[in-house]
Amino acid sequence: MFDTVLVANRGEIAVRVMRACEELGVDTVAVYSEADKHSGHVRYADEAYNVGPARAADSYLDHEAIIEAAQKADADAIHPGYGFLAENAEFARKVEATEGVTWVGPSGDAMERLGEKTKARNVMSDADVPIVPGTDPIEEPEAVREFAEEHGYPIAIKAEGGGGGRGMKIVYEEGEIEEQLESAKREGEAYFDNDSVFLERYIENPRHIEVQIIADHHGNVRHLGERDCSLQRRHQKVIEEGPSPALDDELREQIGEAARRGVDAADYYNAGTVEFLVEEDPDRDPDEVLGAETDFYFLEVNTRIQVEHTVTEEITGIDIVKYQLRVAAGDELDFAQDDVETDGHAMEFRINAENAANDFAPATGGTLETYDPPGGIGVRMDDALRQGDDLVTDYDSMIAKLIVHGATREECIDRSKRALAEYDIEGIPTIIPFHRLMLTDDPFVNGTHHTKYLDEELDPQRIDEAQEKWGSAEGEGDDGDEEVVEREFTVEVNGKRFQVNLEERGAPPIPTNVGDGGGGGGQPQRPAGGRGGGNDSGGGQAAAAEGQQVTAEMQGTILEVNVEEGDEVADGDVICVLEAMKMENDVVAPAGGTVSQVAIAEGESVDMGDLLIVID
């Protein structure tokens, strides 16, 4: 086993990996950006190293900075978690080529074979895994028209490196082809540095079923059963559960064996997930399940640990992260396929800092004035937050995960109601009220929901009512008048983080422009972790010309600028596209006029309130 593992990630997943390391007697190293200087994963690790500014491209995505930190810490392995560099084959190969450092994941070659969608489709087809009718990469709109003539509409245009709905656009009729093709290419380039796209027949209203696998270097491949991830909003999972309430045992076995067969054919090792679409009957009776005659199709492989791996851990008793580490260390899997058994039912609730009643708008800041998570039998919390922490909004909106286990699905739902009612968060909005709503929602409770249910069928008014009924107040923060007795300060020496505790009696409150390293309840509040007074991009901070100023409503990245100085625009024209929280947001002109200033450029990061465009 390794001596020291560097976790190339942040937040709850970094802490999750570190906990597994601690139980295995392995030391841990955290990396952090300037925005995350006081974050929970930094507090938890044995050592921590600063790898750059808040912007992910300059810190968590910086290959050289991550590897250099591992070498400084004498780490003999790097675990990527999920997101950031977890599915980056180039980075995996760099780690594999670094003397004395082991990559905790599949090889870069296997990652490339299964990470790019068209290559993965070919691997799965050769392994006799059902795939959706589709194409190799295409370039021109005419290819979409030809595919439509053979397979009909709707058609999915998908980025080769995409996932989670990013880089996927749906064409319902011929007039949409050019626009959607260009949009899919643009997202592929922006998210994955790859504008290559391909086509698939789009299956409407499917179940989203995924199978967890683990494989070692000795040729052993095991599947750990399936998870149902059909409750999604704009292709982003919200609640995951296992086993699926929609499958019978025969179909469940067929899908599991297809996943194992495909991964085995790909010469793959370590953890991964094979995702499938299962055609759902919209009129299915809740007392019936989908049987062996139901069509299912390979969707994609996630060559990493997933957010919802916790569901599988709860129903199988298998610690997947520990097995990732053991496999990377060269150990052979110590259980057979027949040893894998499912016990009860589990659900995972993503606790996102979003206001569901405001179209799930992400929080742009705030302090956890109250953070009191639930407990008790069958309740697991994966988080990295503590009361008094400031919300870091530079990356994504998920702040924690609540996982609930019960002997049956019915008990799991009842226990989840209790746990969510106990979960007390004040100071920032969360989607806890939305989760409580879903546990009273007939289609979800009956297990007849599908991937389009939230977007197309759930009445938004019910979300508003749930927010009003169960939403907590968004506080204004501590006034800072409380006397401080003990303070924990953070000191950096050559990029390495140290903590120093100082005790002061009768001390005045810490000024709001000075940060301390504390994180527990009752400690002084820190200023919000972020970019401070500047903006990494340099855009948005220029002196504004007079006129109608258009500013960013949220933190994000500029994907497209559609105007130049001197252009005439009309009220409602799209002047730029802002990506935030994995979604494109059109920024429109609030009134007609002439563009007198363009303060941003494609690829730049902006904060909430930054200047974008000025219109006279």
Side-chain angles (χ1 to χ4, degrees):
M1 183 47 66
F2 307 112
D3 293 322
T4 304
V5 172
L6 180 143
V7 183
N9 218 293
R10 64 179 299 277
E12 58 83 22
I13 185 55
V15 172
R16 165 70 188 95
V17 174
M18 291 173 189
R19 284 172 170 158
C21 289
E22 185 173 9
E23 292 180 17
L24 291 171
V26 176
D27 291 338
T28 57
V29 179
V31 292
Y32 63 96
S33 71
E34 288 293 335
D36 272 334
K37 186 175 293 187
H38 304 296
S39 291
H41 73 286
V42 180
R43 297 193 295 259
Y44 193 93
D46 296 310
E47 296 182 67
Y49 290 83
N50 188 324
V51 290
R55 187 169 178 261
D58 300 324
S59 51
Y60 293 112
L61 295 176
D62 186 329
H63 298 191
E64 284 66 35
I66 300 295
I67 293 174
E68 182 181 351
Q71 293 172 323
K72 283 182 180 178
D74 290 328
D76 47 359
I78 293 177
H79 192 302
Y82 48 68
F84 291 133
L85 296 171
E87 293 183 281
N88 189 303
E90 178 186 357
F91 179 67
R93 291 191 183 101
K94 288 181 180 179
V95 176
E96 290 169 338
T98 301
E99 185 176 356
V101 182
T102 298
W103 171 250
V104 182
S107 69
D109 291 344
M111 191 179 295
E112 189 172 88
R113 278 194 299 274
L114 295 180
E116 290 194 359
K117 302 302 182 289
T118 53
K119 292 180 180 179
R121 284 170 55 87
N122 292 335
V123 170
M124 292 296 163
S125 180
D126 291 343
D128 198 28
V129 176
I131 62 174
V132 179
T135 70
D136 289 331
I138 62 105
E139 292 285 344
E140 302 299 329
E142 185 58 33
V144 185
R145 296 188 182 93
E146 292 175 358
F147 188 79
E149 289 177 2
E150 181 178 356
H151 298 285
Y153 293 99
I155 297 168
I157 305 176
K158 305 176 76 171
E160 273 207 278
R166 288 170 290 174
M168 181 173 74
K169 298 298 175 181
I170 310 304
V171 178
Y172 289 95
E173 57 186 31
E174 184 175 2
E176 300 174 344
I177 290 176
E178 283 82 0
E179 178 184 356
Q180 298 292 56
L181 177 60
E182 181 60 32
S183 182
K185 286 183 175 182
R186 184 176 70 240
E187 282 194 17
E189 177 67 30
Y191 283 116
F192 314 108
D193 195 27
N194 181 358
D195 67 355
S196 179
V197 298
F198 66 101
L199 308 178
E200 279 186 352
R201 180 169 74 84
Y202 185 62
I203 300 174
E204 295 195 87
N205 305 327
R207 304 289 298 200
H208 184 125
I209 305 296
E210 61 187 29
V211 178
Q212 177 71 55
I213 62 95
I214 186 77
D216 62 24
H217 293 268
H218 307 279
N220 300 303
V221 182
R222 309 285 185 257
H223 76 77
L224 309 183
E226 91 284 356
R227 300 183 289 258
D228 194 316
C229 306
S230 300
L231 197 74
Q232 303 178 7
R233 178 180 176 272
R234 298 182 183 175
H235 306 289
Q236 298 300 314
K237 301 165 187 174
V238 184
I239 300 174
E240 302 99 339
E241 61 180 308
S244 171
L247 309 184
D248 72 4
D249 288 341
E250 190 173 358
L251 180 58
R252 177 173 291 117
E253 182 64 19
Q254 286 182 12
I255 295 175
E257 281 304 309
R260 190 198 60 76
R261 192 167 61 245
V263 165
D264 190 32
D267 191 25
Y268 184 97
Y269 52 79
N270 217 274
T273 301
V274 186
E275 301 195 345
F276 297 89
L277 296 179
V278 179
E279 290 205 289
E280 171 72 285
D281 179 357
D283 300 319
R284 179 172 62 87
D285 187 289
D287 294 329
E288 298 177 353
V289 290
L290 301 173
E293 72 286 351
T294 305
D295 290 331
F296 67 91
Y297 303 99
F298 167 74
L299 175 62
E300 64 184 6
V301 177
N302 295 121
T303 56
R304 53 171 169 77
I305 198 74
Q306 279 195 285
V307 175
E308 60 272 20
H309 75 279
T310 58
V311 169
T312 299
E313 291 182 328
E314 293 304 304
I315 61 177
T316 65
I318 294 173
D319 188 322
I320 299 170
V321 176
K322 282 186 180 178
Y323 273 102
Q324 282 191 289
L325 294 164
R326 289 168 176 154
V327 165
D331 293 354
E332 188 171 358
L333 294 177
D334 57 3
F335 61 92
Q337 186 62 60
D338 290 343
D339 295 331
V340 179
E341 296 181 351
T342 298
D343 177 24
H345 199 92
M347 291 184 177
E348 176 183 272
F349 302 86
R350 300 192 184 200
I351 308 302
N352 297 340
E354 300 170 356
N355 184 347
N358 184 25
D359 198 29
F360 289 79
T364 55
T367 299
L368 286 168
E369 298 169 358
T370 300
Y371 186 73
D372 188 7
I377 187 170
V379 175
R380 165 180 170 179
M381 285 299 311
D382 277 24
D383 59 20
L385 298 169
R386 294 297 177 264
Q387 187 163 298
D389 282 0
D390 295 315
L391 181 65
V392 176
T393 61
D394 295 74
Y395 308 107
D396 61 64
S397 62
M398 190 176 72
I399 60 172
K401 301 183 310 197
L402 167 65
I403 308 98
V404 181
H405 179 265
T408 64
R409 189 170 189 265
E410 290 74 20
E411 181 178 61
C412 184
I413 288 175
D414 290 339
R415 185 166 287 162
S416 298
K417 290 179 180 178
R418 185 265 296 172
L420 287 163
E422 288 182 6
Y423 207 156
D424 189 7
I425 298 179
E426 293 183 356
I428 61 172
T430 74
I431 60 171
I432 288 175
F434 167 80
H435 287 316
R436 297 180 71 176
L437 167 65
M438 296 317 300
L439 294 178
T440 66
D441 180 73
D442 287 343
F444 179 76
V445 171
N446 293 332
T448 58
H449 58 289
H450 50 74
T451 58
K452 295 294 189 63
Y453 175 67
L454 294 182
D455 292 331
E456 298 181 357
E457 297 182 18
L458 182 67
D459 183 358
Q461 180 61 34
R462 297 183 61 204
I463 299 177
D464 296 343
E465 293 170 354
Q467 183 69 33
E468 184 176 348
K469 180 177 181 180
W470 292 310
S472 60
E474 296 176 41
E476 295 300 320
D478 198 321
D479 62 9
D481 291 335
E482 183 178 1
E483 178 184 341
V484 178
V485 175
E486 184 176 83
R487 295 174 177 172
E488 183 179 76
F489 293 86
T490 298
V491 180
E492 279 187 13
V493 180
N494 294 328
K496 182 175 180 180
R497 181 181 188 274
F498 297 89
Q499 289 177 294
V500 180
N501 293 313
L502 296 179
E503 187 175 282
E504 299 180 77
R505 300 190 181 279
I510 296 176
T512 57
N513 64 340
V514 178
D516 77 304
Q523 295 185 355
Q525 304 301 314
R526 299 184 301 276
R531 296 185 176 85
N535 184 306
D536 291 337
S537 66
Q541 297 297 322
E546 297 194 6
Q548 178 75 51
Q549 298 184 14
V550 182
T551 59
E553 295 185 355
M554 62 190 74
Q555 185 275 335
T557 301
I558 300 298
L559 288 186
E560 183 177 290
V561 180
N562 298 330
V563 295
E564 298 178 351
E565 291 183 8
D567 286 353
E568 295 292 328
V569 295
D571 184 6
D573 283 354
V574 177
I575 54 179
C576 66
V577 179
L578 172 66
E579 182 275 324
M581 302 302 177
K582 304 178 183 177
M583 291 184 290
E584 288 189 8
N585 300 273
D586 290 339
V587 179
V588 301
T594 302
V595 175
S596 60
Q597 182 178 352
V598 177
I600 38 87
E602 291 184 10
E604 290 185 350
S605 297
V606 295
D607 284 327
M608 180 183 180
D610 282 354
L611 178 68
L612 305 178
I613 307 286
V614 178
I615 301 172
D616 287 336

